[in-house]
Amino acid sequence: MEGGTLTGRPPGVDVADLFRRRRPEMVRLARMMTGSMAVAEEVVQDAFLRIHERQGDVGNPDAYLRMTVVNLCRNHRRRLGLERRLAPDERIVLTNPEVDETWKLLTELPFRQRAVLALRFYSDLSEAEIAEALGCRLGTVKSSLHRGLETLRRKMS
Amino acid sequence: MTERQVVEERVRAAFRAVADLPVSEGEVSGRGRGSLRPTRELLAIAAVVLLVAGAIGLLVAFGPRSASRHHNGGLTPAVSTTAPTTTMVVPTTRTLQLAFQPFTSAGTLSSRYHVRNTDSGTCQSGSQGGPGTYRCFGTKGGVYDPCFAAPGVTTGPLYCPVDPAYIEVDRFDTESLPPPTSHGQPGVWAMQLIGGQQCLFVAAAWSGLGPFECNEQLPPTQVPGYPVTPTYPAVADCRTPVAGVPYWTTTCQTSLTDSAPFTAYEVAVVWDTTGTQVQAAECKTNQLAVEPVSQQGALGTEGTILRFRSTSGLPCVMEGFPGLALLDASASDMKYSVARGGGMLTAMNDPVHLVLLEPDQTTEFMIEWPGNPQGTSPCPSVASLLVTPPDNTSSVRVPTEIAPCGNGVAVSPVGIEIYP
């Protein structure tokens, strides 16, 4: 992204500035949710494009951006069946065996559980903030968090 | 450090490791719809997308309705890594046609519905729901369709169902409501498939696929008369259902890829406004038996599963939460608080499903509570449960041997996924 001037953008939300500030973090978050470097970048591009399409009328841009990224990750997973169709060389492999094993287990979780874990343990969001980002109830976050950790615990033991 | 804390630490480490991988610069060559490029090119892309979206009604898919389906897990496969022992009771003989009627005789919203969001703006007569329904446009660009107004009102509020289960609705306020149209093509605007998926009309969702978008795949277990295959029934987008005897049918894609084939599915329930609905009777207490199923527990939470069985020989429908009271040996109320949803052992906050009980069929629900925190002193023993089926006032007493700690329990809706 160069220059950062988006002609015609509405007052109040500087999409270019938002792009510069938040893109790396959003790519990382999308990577955790999709399990793919390439898809993560595409998803984040799409999210910024949507914010621009809405002419910046998004209330809290940071929260809206995060919610859009999460939703697009979810859609991408459904649309492409990425969990099963990713070529092996597109999968993220980590050098530390234990960390890589944990990551592999994380990628096997249902999307919502993985998304909740990523927002909780990577983004450090509160459960209420996660509920907002996922567009679900607080109770759903709690149960997804519980079930995700319990599945991991069972598979690790 | 507890076992759970160890798991949390490993999760943090894995996410940190993934986060530490490099992130490319912002100029990404676009795959598919486009990439974010400076100024004119981005605007051109956005303009084309908006034009296409406007032409095919894509705004509906991006409006609050779409978000509401996300809220209900609509686009999130609720696939557990372990097979749920759930029941989703489905009809085996016919398709039900139901009307959406959320209003009391006084014209107010029935107390069984929960208002999720409130918006305001303008509404126009006619929508996919057919005559008497509205399409409303929120001040921030959201599109709600269909919305329903109480008979005779001219200013709203209208209520727009979030999903076909109807427990949640969006409230839409408008200062001036045009008279309802009596003409127009009545159409199905929501349906529930034989496998339990609920599908909502969203016009041109998913790049022109649709027009119905369905929520998560439900487990194939206990679908009477249907072969259990690993892919049954993975549904993405469905076409408009076609009336048939005894079933309506629809065709749906098995995934959200453009090239995915369409497969025929039978439709359990359709919602429309044709005025010819066969409203299945709600299940009454006197046509139901309540039976204990099993006890469950994990990570400090305990629960018991019960089920309603239809005993009357007639089909009936039920949805929502059973009422509950916990009684001691002298049949006195032990004054436990009972929360609706919010439990840990079930997908308690997933969509509330409409459950059709054919004769002798069952549907399950769960009661759960925190386990004994000390693991030593016994918790109060409950001798029986007083269970009130959803939308009923009379109850059934069921013997039990549970001993919930604390002073509250949570109850799930009927027909919900229960994880072992």
Side-chain angles (χ1 to χ4, degrees):
Chain A
M1 187 69 204
E2 304 169 356
T5 303
L6 293 173
T7 304
R9 65 178 166 77
V13 177
D14 186 334
V15 180
D17 179 60
L18 189 68
F19 183 88
R20 276 193 299 271
R21 284 192 298 110
R22 301 299 308 281
R23 181 180 177 280
E25 182 195 343
M26 289 298 105
V27 170
R28 293 186 183 103
L29 183 63
R31 190 186 285 169
M32 292 165 197
M33 294 187 182
T34 64
S36 163
M37 309 277 271
V39 171
E41 295 191 342
E42 183 181 345
V43 157
V44 172
Q45 291 291 93
D46 211 358
F48 279 100
L49 190 63
R50 290 191 181 202
I51 289 178
H52 190 74
E53 288 168 8
R54 287 177 65 98
Q55 301 184 339
D57 184 12
V58 294
N60 180 340
D62 292 273
Y64 182 85
L65 174 63
R66 186 164 50 223
M67 186 172 71
T68 305
V69 167
V70 171
N71 280 335
L72 289 174
C73 289
R74 176 161 43 194
N75 295 356
H76 256 279
R77 184 180 175 208
R78 281 180 61 96
R79 186 185 298 265
L80 302 177
L82 285 169
E83 293 299 301
R84 289 177 289 278
R85 297 184 189 184
L86 274 181
D89 60 354
E90 285 187 89
R91 290 198 179 277
I92 295 170
V93 178
L94 303 168
T95 50
N96 182 315
E98 184 184 80
V99 174
D100 188 60
E101 184 204 3
T102 307
W103 170 247
K104 182 173 179 296
L105 294 176
L106 281 165
T107 63
E108 293 169 353
L109 289 177
F111 176 84
R112 187 163 61 198
Q113 292 178 21
R114 178 150 37 115
V116 168
L117 291 174
L119 292 168
R120 181 73 192 90
F121 297 115
Y122 168 66
S123 298
D124 274 329
L125 298 189
S126 69
E127 291 177 343
E129 289 170 325
I130 295 171
E132 184 185 8
L134 291 174
C136 66
R137 295 182 197 167
L138 186 59
T140 307
V141 173
K142 289 176 185 289
S143 60
S144 298
L145 192 60
H146 173 85
R147 288 211 295 266
L149 289 173
E150 168 63 5
T151 300
L152 293 174
R153 184 198 62 76
R154 198 171 59 245
K155 290 187 174 181
M156 287 173 181
S157 58
Chain B
M1 186 178 284
T2 66
E3 207 173 0
R4 174 164 170 152
Q5 287 170 328
V6 170
V7 174
E8 290 179 359
E9 275 311 303
R10 287 188 62 175
V11 168
R12 281 195 183 91
F15 282 144
R16 270 200 306 271
V18 174
D20 287 341
L21 297 172
V23 175
S24 70
E25 292 301 317
E27 281 288 341
V28 178
S29 60
R31 288 194 305 171
R33 238 181 75 193
S35 58
L36 193 65
R37 302 183 179 95
T39 319
R40 271 181 245 169
E41 192 174 353
L42 172 61
L43 291 174
I45 294 169
V48 170
V49 170
L50 283 174
L51 280 173
V52 173
I56 61 178
L58 194 58
L59 284 172
V60 174
F62 293 145
R65 170 72 41 68
S66 181
S68 69
R69 282 193 305 281
H70 294 173
H71 155 77
N72 280 313
L75 296 178
T76 307
V79 180
S80 170
T81 50
T82 52
T85 58
T86 185
T87 62
M88 167 51 70
V89 178
V90 295
T92 54
T93 57
R94 62 198 172 95
T95 298
L96 283 183
Q97 282 178 264
L98 300 181
F100 178 59
Q101 211 305 81
F103 300 104
T104 66
S105 56
T108 58
L109 184 69
S110 167
S111 59
R112 67 192 301 230
Y113 296 95
H114 168 69
V115 175
R116 187 191 63 124
N117 282 327
T118 298
D119 202 348
S120 61
T122 58
C123 297
Q124 66 183 37
S125 302
S127 78
Q128 175 64 20
T133 60
Y134 291 89
R135 170 178 280 202
C136 297
F137 302 88
T139 52
K140 292 188 176 179
V143 181
Y144 301 78
D145 185 358
C147 293
F148 297 78
V153 302
T154 56
T155 61
L158 297 89
Y159 293 97
C160 318
V162 168
D163 65 72
Y166 301 145
I167 294 297
E168 285 197 318
V169 295
D170 287 333
R171 173 180 167 142
F172 196 91
D173 294 313
T174 185
E175 292 182 357
S176 176
L177 193 62
T181 57
S182 57
H183 61 278
Q185 186 68 33
V188 173
W189 55 274
M191 59 183 176
Q192 180 173 302
L193 304 185
I194 191 89
Q197 289 95 343
Q198 295 176 343
C199 309
L200 196 65
F201 183 86
V202 290
W206 307 117
S207 304
L209 301 178
F212 284 83
E213 182 182 294
C214 304
N215 65 7
E216 75 269 25
Q217 176 181 351
L218 288 168
T221 54
Q222 300 186 22
V223 179
Y226 278 79
V228 176
T229 68
T231 58
Y232 179 84
V235 169
D237 291 284
C238 299
R239 291 172 172 154
T240 303
V242 178
V245 178
Y247 281 111
W248 292 51
T249 55
T250 183
T251 56
C252 308
Q253 286 192 299
T254 51
S255 76
L256 276 169
T257 49
D258 290 347
S259 58
F262 279 82
T263 303
Y265 290 98
E266 294 171 355
V267 181
V269 188
V270 295
W271 285 268
D272 61 17
T273 54
T274 61
T276 59
Q277 295 81 6
V278 180
Q279 178 72 55
E282 289 183 338
C283 299
K284 300 300 179 190
T285 303
N286 63 8
Q287 64 183 116
L288 295 168
V290 184
E291 305 165 348
V293 178
S294 65
Q295 304 270 358
Q296 301 219 341
L299 282 184
T301 301
E302 297 176 13
T304 185
I305 300 172
L306 294 94
R307 67 186 172 209
F308 290 109
R309 180 184 297 281
S310 170
T311 59
S312 72
L314 294 172
C316 62
V317 295
M318 62 195 309
E319 66 178 342
F321 297 88
L324 187 66
L326 286 66
L327 309 180
D328 62 17
S330 61
S332 298
D333 189 349
M334 298 171 74
K335 305 293 185 188
Y336 280 83
S337 65
V338 178
R340 291 183 164 194
M344 303 298 284
L345 298 178
T346 71
M348 280 192 169
N349 289 292
D350 280 345
V352 173
H353 295 293
L354 181 79
V355 175
L356 172 62
L357 283 183
E358 293 285 359
D360 204 40
Q361 286 189 332
T362 62
T363 186
E364 295 177 352
F365 66 99
M366 173 172 259
I367 303 164
E368 67 169 80
W369 55 89
N372 186 342
Q374 305 304 323
T376 51
S377 57
C379 299
S381 293
V382 177
S384 59
L385 299 166
L386 196 62
V387 178
T388 309
D391 298 309
N392 277 271
T393 52
S394 56
S395 308
V396 177
R397 196 168 143 194
V398 189
T400 188
E401 295 179 349
I402 65 175
C405 297
N407 53 12
V409 299
V411 63
S412 79
V414 296
I416 202 161
E417 292 179 61
I418 296 171
Y419 297 90

